[in-house]
Amino acid sequence: MPLLEVKNLQVRVEEREILHGLSLTVNKGEVHAIMGPNGSGKSTLSHVIAGKPGYEVTGGEILFKGEDLLGMAPDERAAKGVFLAFQYPVEIPGVATMTFLRTALNAQRKARGESEFSTPDFLKKVRSVAASLNIPQDMLRRGVNVGFSGGEKKRNEILQMALFEPSLCILDEMDSGLDIDALRVAADGVNALRSPERAMVVITHYQRLLNYIVPDFVHVMSKGRVVKSGGKELALELEASGYAQFEDAA
Amino acid sequence: MNVALAKTETGRMLNDIFAIAGDRLPGTGKVADRRRQAFDAYERAGLPHRRIEDWKYTDLRVLMRDVLPLAAAPDAAAMKRAAAALKLHAIEGVRRLVLVDGVFAPKLSETADLEKSLGIRTLREALEAGDTALHALLFAPENSDSMVALNSAMMTDGLVIEVADGAVLATPLHIVHIASGAAPAAMFTRSLLKVGNAAAATLVESYIAAGGAKAYQVHDSLVVSIGDGARLDHVRLIEDGREAFNISSAVLRLGAHAHFNTFGMTSGASVSRYQAVIAFAGEGSKVETNGVNLLNGRQHADTTLFLDHAVPNCASREIFRAVVEDRGHSVFQGRIIVRPKAQKTDAKMMTRALLLSDEAEADNKPELEIFADDVTCGHGATTGALDQSLLFYLRARGLSEKEAQALLIQAFVGEAIESIANDALRELAISAAQRWLAARG
């Protein structure tokens, strides 16, 4: 059974249709890149998979491990193993990062019928992951993402990914706002989480990110559909020729 | 005509209450005269209503309608219910002083082994003794507010606490008001706290009810004087029963170089009002007054503060947060007056409300009256809903809607709670907030 099956998905925001019958199949262990110009519907796809309110699915379905994902609340999806790394992680003043991480991890574990982490086990786990991502302890004491740089926010997303151990990671424009050094640290963090049991969907506008996170498959989106799929060489082809050919084709 | 008739009826009923209670109200001679004057003042004005500016948002003629008869002195069964309620709200490491149905309960209180520098009497004892200077202090709150006047007329018991000059009390004092819920009734209490020069004390006031308590009314008042160079840390937690009324007033006076840190949280009662007048009487003093309302159902909670900067070089900070759900109604009125002589006053006030439903209401009324020209004063007020993008972020990380809201609500009220200087008191406020959040489901 595929991990994720998006079948003929049609999505509206207010009165405008953004996705016009998008299909995508992702198996565990695979890394898929979704590329496309601005406005092609890449972020909409990631939001609909995560369950963000404000999108109306007018047709098609999304199956996750064979279950209907669209019928689940966002927190149920998270507990089942869906993780969206946000393009713009929000700042939450007054909620300490540590409190947030523990509340979220235990909420997911509780939803799966697992026991909650003890405080020492939790701290040990967070500290070791944070160290591997160059996240200083001081950052964990601050409010969630409050005063974090762009790179720190992305590293905090990857920290959560490592902590929650999801089976599907969707990385929405992870490279936006990052300089090359920050990008390398973030990509190393993601690569460390690649596993035969886990799939990743990397959404990006630029080929650059894919030099660091090398995909197994590349899909090109244009005007709300996947218009071409191929191997990693497709990304290089796009880099040379641009998106214009697909916009005409779509 | 109808209005006059209604008032007369309410008045006559109360007059009966005052007359019937006569024997039970401590004090004779001048004390009895003062009660009578206060009652006359109350009768002239009646219950406050919306045309009285200070009570604009809390119309007691509509919300309360009647003052209930004076509660009977608690019997053994009432004491047993009160003791059970107390267990749930007991705090470690405090000196507990308990009032059950408005009457001091020595068996539930800890008055043995008092520090030499600490004097504790009941209001009844104080009013029955001949200390006229003390009587003057106890009757200091003015009859111009009719609920204060009513309280002066009817006050039955309370605590009179004196902390000697230079004494630093290691143990916080905890006054617990418990309604036994035996019958719908009103309790009238007044307490006095004198913190001597260069002394330091901590006062916690809790208002709770025994399980199953129905409609009852708390009419309370507090008179505080903080001496030169003295410090008072103060926390009030209103966790009254959901059908209860809590009408409380406080009059506080600070000497020079004194420090007053106060925090109030209302999560209980059906209708509550806390009105405090804080007056700076000496230079170089500072006040931090912070509060939180956590309201749902049809709860109505009104906090009305008046800071009187009468002398130069004093500082005040007010932080207020309201979280209102369902058809709850939160009121915050913060008035700051800076009198002509009060140069170098530094006064700031910030009030924010979080509305969790379309029918929730929050009224914020900051008022600054500045008559001095070399001052730093500011105020701000905001009202809004929970940020949807924050909620989605938390839910995408596995928190249910209620859990995500709870975390954001805690963060929202956090700034006011964080301002509590004393660690143990801060924990107390956090646990009261968590009880409210847990009750939301």
Side-chain angles (χ1 to χ4, degrees):
Chain A
M1 185 201 302
L3 185 67
L4 177 74
E5 278 182 283
V6 180
K7 294 181 186 170
N8 193 28
L9 188 67
Q10 290 151 47
V11 174
R12 279 172 180 272
V13 175
E14 284 157 7
E15 289 308 298
R16 207 159 65 90
E17 191 167 274
I18 308 285
L19 299 182
H20 319 282
L22 182 141
S23 296
L24 178 71
T25 300
V26 177
N27 295 300
K28 60 184 189 178
E30 295 174 353
V31 174
H32 291 245
I34 295 183
M35 302 185 68
N38 290 331
S40 58
K42 305 187 300 289
S43 285
T44 296
L45 175 64
S46 71
H47 291 158
V48 172
I49 294 173
K52 186 174 181 173
Y55 296 90
E56 188 196 350
V57 176
T58 52
E61 60 178 345
I62 305 179
L63 299 179
F64 182 67
K65 297 175 185 172
E67 288 185 82
D68 172 25
L69 198 65
L70 294 172
M72 298 179 201
D75 43 309
E76 290 177 70
R77 302 181 195 199
K80 297 263 184 202
V82 175
F83 182 90
L84 169 65
F86 283 60
Q87 181 179 5
Y88 302 110
V90 295
E91 299 191 9
I92 314 180
V95 178
T97 304
M98 272 298 196
T99 308
F100 159 69
L101 293 176
R102 186 162 51 211
T103 309
L105 182 61
N106 284 332
Q108 292 191 23
R109 292 181 66 89
K110 203 173 130 198
R112 290 193 293 260
E114 298 166 8
S115 64
E116 297 192 354
F117 258 89
S118 75
T119 305
D121 288 351
F122 170 78
L123 290 175
K124 217 169 116 187
K125 190 165 175 162
V126 174
R127 286 199 182 114
S128 80
V129 178
S132 72
L133 287 165
N134 273 338
I135 293 176
Q137 293 297 309
D138 152 68
M139 243 170 82
L140 301 175
R141 281 191 288 270
R142 294 189 346 230
V144 176
N145 293 323
V146 175
F148 288 21
S149 69
E152 285 171 336
K153 284 180 184 170
K154 296 297 165 82
R155 265 142 62 198
N156 192 16
E157 295 292 286
I158 298 162
L159 168 71
Q160 293 170 47
M161 214 160 95
L163 204 57
F164 304 152
E165 299 176 336
S167 41
L168 175 68
C169 305
I170 301 159
L171 307 167
D172 190 4
E173 307 269 5
M174 202 189 76
D175 46 342
S176 69
L178 296 194
D179 63 30
I180 199 75
D181 293 325
L183 181 59
R184 192 172 288 133
V185 174
D188 287 349
V190 172
N191 285 328
L193 294 171
R194 289 179 78 147
S195 127
E197 294 304 314
R198 179 175 293 141
M200 296 190 182
V201 175
V202 181
I203 291 171
T204 182
H205 188 88
Y206 300 105
Q207 192 271 336
R208 185 181 71 161
L209 175 66
L210 305 180
N211 290 335
Y212 299 95
I213 304 172
V214 180
D216 303 307
F217 302 96
V218 173
H219 309 276
V220 181
M221 268 186 80
S222 181
K223 295 179 182 163
R225 282 191 193 92
V226 172
V227 291
K228 188 165 186 184
S229 297
K232 63 187 173 200
E233 64 287 347
L234 180 56
L236 294 169
E237 196 184 303
L238 278 171
E239 179 82 346
S241 57
Y243 290 116
Q245 50 172 327
F246 299 108
E247 290 190 322
D248 294 340
Chain B
M1 197 63 193
N2 285 336
V3 173
L5 188 66
K7 192 187 155 207
T8 310
E9 278 181 358
T10 308
R12 191 175 60 234
M13 193 175 152
L14 254 180
N15 206 350
D16 291 346
I17 290 167
F18 187 60
I20 293 165
D23 290 351
R24 289 192 48 214
L25 302 178
T28 51
K30 279 237 168 88
V31 170
D33 292 346
R34 283 180 152 135
R35 284 187 188 280
R36 168 51 66 187
Q37 283 161 19
F39 193 76
D40 289 347
Y42 170 75
E43 270 207 318
R44 279 193 299 276
L47 285 173
H49 51 83
R50 67 169 67 88
R51 288 185 304 280
I52 294 172
E53 186 61 23
D54 274 359
W55 289 85
K56 183 172 164 179
Y57 300 105
T58 302
D59 188 328
L60 289 186
R61 290 196 188 172
V62 173
L63 294 167
M64 189 154 95
R65 302 170 80 156
D66 282 324
V67 174
L68 292 171
L70 178 65
D75 57 14
M79 282 298 186
K80 207 174 157 189
R81 284 196 298 276
L86 185 60
K87 261 191 190 158
L88 297 173
H89 290 82
I91 317 170
E92 294 301 311
V94 294
R95 183 178 291 286
R96 191 176 305 133
L97 303 163
V98 178
L99 297 158
V100 176
D101 296 339
V103 178
F104 182 65
K107 281 187 183 157
L108 298 178
S109 304
E110 294 152 2
T111 48
D113 307 321
L114 286 190
E115 294 91 325
K116 278 209 180 70
S117 52
L118 176 62
I120 299 180
R121 277 179 285 175
T122 65
L123 179 84
R124 174 169 290 275
E125 288 162 350
L127 289 176
E128 283 172 349
D131 185 341
T132 50
L134 184 61
H135 293 172
L137 254 183
L138 285 168
F139 281 95
E142 291 174 19
N143 289 334
S144 53
D145 181 283
S146 68
M147 296 316 282
V148 172
L150 177 66
N151 186 268
S152 295
M154 300 289 292
M155 57 183 172
T156 315
D157 212 346
L159 278 312
V160 175
I161 304 167
E162 289 169 271
V163 182
D165 290 351
V168 176
L169 287 190
T171 309
L173 303 160
H174 185 197
I175 300 180
V176 191
H177 296 256
I178 309 176
S180 74
M187 41 216 86
F188 299 86
T189 47
R190 178 165 295 182
S191 292
L192 173 85
L193 173 62
K194 254 174 101 172
V195 185
N197 293 334
T202 300
L203 174 66
V204 183
E205 297 177 279
S206 299
Y207 299 82
I208 60 173
K214 296 287 179 215
Y216 64 88
Q217 295 174 357
V218 174
H219 296 266
D220 186 36
S221 57
L222 178 69
V223 180
V224 173
S225 80
I226 304 172
D228 293 346
R231 173 177 182 134
L232 177 63
D233 288 278
H234 176 226
V235 169
R236 304 179 80 238
L237 301 173
I238 313 299
E239 294 188 86
D240 275 304
R242 297 298 293 255
E243 292 179 39
F245 284 73
N246 184 315
I247 310 295
S248 299
S249 310
V251 179
L252 305 107
R253 183 183 176 280
L254 281 88
H257 303 285
H259 185 184
F260 178 44
N261 181 284
T262 179
F263 173 84
M265 183 153 76
T266 303
S267 54
S270 164
V271 174
S272 63
R273 158 94 166 191
Y274 175 57
Q275 46 184 15
V277 180
I278 303 173
F280 289 98
E283 291 190 35
S285 292
K286 65 174 173 178
V287 168
E288 291 120 15
T289 170
N290 305 300
V292 170
N293 278 349
L294 298 172
L295 309 175
N296 54 25
R298 303 196 65 159
Q299 282 181 292
H300 176 112
D302 175 338
T303 298
T304 295
L305 302 178
F306 174 29
L307 265 101
D308 188 347
H309 281 271
V311 296
N313 294 311
C314 291
S316 60
R317 292 285 177 277
E318 291 175 63
I319 299 173
F320 196 81
R321 297 280 183 275
V323 179
V324 195
E325 192 163 25
D326 305 329
R327 300 180 69 179
H329 185 182
S330 172
V331 178
F332 175 77
Q333 305 186 100
R335 184 170 161 222
I336 299 175
I337 183 162
V338 181
R339 296 190 190 272
K341 283 184 185 160
Q343 300 295 0
K344 306 285 181 196
T345 288
D346 177 2
K348 287 189 182 65
M349 170 167 48
M350 182 69 206
T351 166
R352 293 176 63 195
L354 183 60
L355 302 181
L356 299 178
S357 76
D358 292 342
E359 290 177 302
E361 182 176 343
D363 294 297
N364 288 314
K365 193 174 80 173
E367 283 179 281
L368 258 62
E369 294 173 51
I370 303 170
F371 299 101
D373 55 11
D374 184 12
V375 299
T376 310
C377 291
H379 69 78
T382 65
T383 301
L386 280 176
D387 185 324
Q388 290 301 317
S389 66
L390 303 193
L391 275 176
F392 174 62
Y393 188 80
L394 294 173
R395 296 202 64 194
R397 295 301 178 251
L399 277 72
S400 69
E401 188 171 16
K402 289 276 184 188
E403 286 170 328
Q405 288 179 346
L407 207 56
L408 295 177
I409 291 167
Q410 283 186 65
F412 179 78
V413 301
E415 199 189 335
I417 292 180
E418 287 309 312
S419 66
I420 302 173
N422 179 305
D423 292 342
L425 299 192
R426 195 164 51 243
E427 287 304 316
L428 190 68
I430 290 169
S431 51
Q434 283 169 345
R435 275 196 290 278
W436 185 83
L437 287 168
R440 297 178 72 228

